Amino acid sequence: MWKKVSASALALSLAVTGFANVDQTNAAANEVTRGEYVKAVIDAMGVKLGTGATIKFEDVPDSLKPYIEKAIELKLVSGKTETQFAPNEKITREEAVVIVANAVQSNETFSEDVLNQFKDNQEIKEENRDEMAKAVGLGILTGYEDKTIKPTNVLSYKHLDKILERFLEDYKPAESNTTVSLRILGTSDIHTNIMNYDYYKDTESNSLGLVKTATLIKQAQKENSNSLLFDNGDAIQGTPLGSYKQAIDVLEDGEEHPSITAMELLGYDAATLGNHEFNYGLDYLDEVVDDADFPYVNANIRDANTKDYKYTPYVLIDKEVVDSTGKTTTIKVGVTGIVPPQILNWDKSNLFGKVTVDDSVEAVEKVVPEIQQAGADVIVVLSHSGFGDATHEAGEEDVTYLLTKVEGVDAIITGHAHGVFPGEVDASLTGVDAEKGTMNGVPVVMPGKYGSHLGVIDLTLEQQGEDWEVVAGTGEVREIAEDASDVDATIAAAVKEAHEGTIEYVREAVGETTADIHSYFSQVQDDPSIQIVTDAQKAYVQGKIKGTEFESLPVLSAGAPFKAGTRSDPEYYTFVPKGQLAIKNVADLYLYDNTLAILKVTGADVKEWLEMSAGQFNQIDGNSTAEQQLINSDFRSYNYDVIDGVTYEIDVTQPAKYDASGNVVNEDAERIVNLQFNGEPIDLEQEFIVATNNYRANGTFPGVRNATYVEIYPDENRQAIIDYIIENKTIDPSADGNWKFAELPANVNVVFESSKKAVEVIPEGSNIEYVGDGTDGFGKYSLK
């Protein structure tokens, strides 16, 4: 039962706060700040404080955060801006009175007419007149002898004392419900970056690694023991370590994958499957996940024959927590997950006829009521999907924004796009609060890639009868340290054998190169890093089709720049120095664990394929002298296919025919000009075999989708490159110059961005020139 605070208790409170015995002769020292006042009011109210974890104001010290948090929770005060509370700003009498008036629950109605007795009542802000009238009516505000209330004057400690004393005569706190602060932690897209090590560069890297994220996890758990930890997928593929455990040091039955071992040591409560979990086939995936001591959930993959869920659609976790009264209680947390339906295209050879994939939004809409019926107090969705947009299209890849609108979803960990949220998102998405980390009121986190960030969601649950209700929530991301100070020794020791085995594997020599190989200019000129890939693919395919019905058909080969500053990373480029070539270099040349494929297409299809690829470039206005960016930042570099075996020019003064998704946007546009085969204009009806990978062959690229024959081989593109280098022993990495830009008007100023390191490899007489700093650490270059 609450008891009214006595005068002696108030005096003690003020003394502890530091307001008693203040030097009244010093005017400045006698003025109360916003932070001091809020702390005094909350202390006087005698309410239970939280941890302060929900406070995101940049100017509030940790010691003050629990008081500000409680005042905001009780709707007594707000910040000056979304990022600033201004705790050291002097508080006016008006502000002070409004705060305590808000705290008093009263059934009485007070007319603003009571303010007319004060000569300076017009100085009161319009939005505060109701609460000021309430304060006068309750006797909290009495005014001065000269019939003024001086609302704009700074509050003094003497008047603070009187305001609080009068306030406590009327303040009777409502019976407060018991609350629980529940913390949801999330990782995503680790891609076997367990150690802080870049296997492609064969060196330590402190911009990645679960061994570094682990320290953030443990710190966040220390701050709030009521914590759960989830992974959002793409954990078993992505670096040579993943390839090493799949193909070299092959997992034996019952042997744990290093990713699983690390996650178990960190105490993960559940995980979902990302699209890259299926790169090695269902049998391998089963072998990996069946050793995990935590559950994997997925609600949109079904067995193709039985139509039943292929995996556990959700789990209900009984989480023991400590509530606001200090008692131990149990919260039931339901967890489900989804993966893009496009896995059926991306890994068709592994999945065709074995599984089907439901629409992600419909799957969540279906499973959430089941989780609620099972008794969940909280529902968390592990969405291996980008944000997408506000329009639902059946089977679309990126749907997280749409999932925030599904009734019953309380928190979402998202990923797949390798981005960071809270952070910038498409401006067309409404209801996004980047400061609170919410979308449509639902806390959402996207924790980067390769262990770069940890997602932290803080939920407040309130007990309502026998049930628990989520009443508030925020999301944030925490970035790993820039040095090795945060490496978790326990995780590092647990994966030591696999890590060292991977390093030995990637250092194995396979041949030599007569010059440096890099991808710095792979988007703007024919490039050696792509040429080696296309040459190796062509050699492989010519061997495969020998003696078949396709032997007489000409073989073309398609390759793309995988490492070309992707996703705003100025270090994300291939660089292989002249000399010995090792497996690590091949992995740097060909990043993904794709397998080889062939397509039978016509000359017309080749042209459309190239028209789609040419969408990588913005349209250049030939009449403008202003600076114009050449590269379309919305177009993924891995979709910029160069096709070797034909020659062609790209006219970027023309509009693109296709958008980044392969939709026709300019029906009559033609960027591909002077397309030739064997020195003659290409015959649009002639048939060709094009060597590519399973990702492209299973997709819906223009040109590709018209293929009359598709075959997926089991051998990796990367292995074909290794075999090609071994066979040739020494390779000349020069490109054959089979494509170029059509001549640009002399007066245009065309620029693009690449690594600043590219300055060192610009050849003499090149049409590329370094201009200066670009954005986000890139360099700016001009193209003539």
Side-chain angles (χ1 to χ4, degrees), residues 224-235:
N224 186 348
S225 60
N226 299 338
S227 294
L228 290 162
L229 175 60
F230 303 119
D231 183 72
N232 193 48
D234 278 4

Side-chain angles (χ1 to χ4, degrees), residues 355-396:
V355 299
T356 60
V357 186
D358 296 340
D359 176 79
S360 299
V361 176
E362 293 175 0
V364 173
E365 289 175 336
K366 182 180 186 301
V367 79
V368 163
E370 297 176 18
I371 304 174
Q372 291 173 321
Q373 186 66 30
D377 300 302
V378 179
I379 295 179
V380 179
V381 176
L382 306 179
S383 171
H384 194 85
S385 171
F387 290 123
D389 55 30
T391 303
H392 182 205
E393 297 179 8
E396 63 185 315

Side-chain angles (χ1 to χ4, degrees), residues 303-340:
D303 185 284
N305 297 315
T306 68
K307 310 304 180 187
D308 294 332
Y309 286 116
K310 176 69 174 174
Y311 303 99
T312 304
Y314 71 89
V315 292
L316 204 62
I317 300 172
D318 289 331
K319 177 63 178 176
E320 193 172 85
V321 297
V322 177
D323 65 25
S324 58
T325 68
K327 294 181 180 178
T328 299
T329 189
T330 299
I331 300 292
K332 292 185 178 296
V333 181
V335 187
T336 188
I338 54 93
V339 71

Side-chain angles (χ1 to χ4, degrees), residues 518-697:
H518 61 81
S519 63
Y520 294 138
F521 302 127
S522 56
Q523 294 173 291
V524 298
Q525 65 181 23
D526 198 22
D527 184 79
S529 70
I530 299 174
Q531 189 74 53
I532 293 172
V533 172
T534 57
D535 286 350
Q537 290 176 170
K538 182 175 181 178
Y540 174 94
V541 167
Q542 285 175 326
K544 286 291 182 182
I545 65 174
K546 188 175 183 179
T548 73
E549 60 182 303
F550 303 128
E551 183 176 11
S552 62
L553 293 180
V555 176
L556 311 180
S557 188
F562 295 139
K563 297 182 71 175
T566 306
R567 292 170 175 148
S568 301
D569 186 347
E571 299 299 317
Y572 199 66
Y573 290 89
T574 293
F575 184 83
V576 180
K578 173 184 175 181
Q580 188 180 83
L581 279 170
I583 290 175
K584 65 181 179 182
N585 305 131
V586 177
D588 203 16
L589 286 167
Y590 203 99
L591 192 62
Y592 301 110
D593 294 298
N594 293 332
T595 61
L596 279 128
I598 60 169
L599 301 167
K600 186 174 75 168
V601 298
T602 66
D605 295 328
V606 171
K607 185 174 187 300
E608 293 310 299
W609 192 330
L610 291 171
E611 287 287 358
M612 171 63 194
S613 296
Q616 182 195 232
F617 305 110
N618 294 316
Q619 184 176 5
I620 300 301
D621 182 353
N623 296 317
S624 173
T625 58
E627 183 177 281
Q628 300 182 68
Q629 284 286 344
L630 179 62
I631 306 297
N632 176 3
S633 59
D634 292 330
F635 197 99
R636 298 299 188 199
S637 66
Y638 55 72
N639 280 333
Y640 176 59
D641 279 355
V642 170
I643 298 183
D644 275 307
V646 291
T647 59
Y648 55 96
E649 297 178 7
I650 302 176
D651 186 353
V652 291
T653 65
Q654 299 301 308
K657 183 171 184 177
Y658 298 98
D659 66 15
S661 298
N663 301 310
V664 175
V665 289
N666 293 288
E667 180 71 41
D668 299 325
E670 287 190 85
R671 283 187 161 182
I672 303 301
V673 296
N674 199 22
L675 175 59
Q676 297 186 353
F677 173 67
N678 281 345
E680 298 292 335
I682 196 168
D683 181 348
L684 298 182
E685 295 183 359
Q686 181 176 351
E687 291 185 326
F688 295 88
I689 292 295
V690 181
T692 182
N693 58 58
N694 63 308
Y695 175 83
R696 181 67 72 236

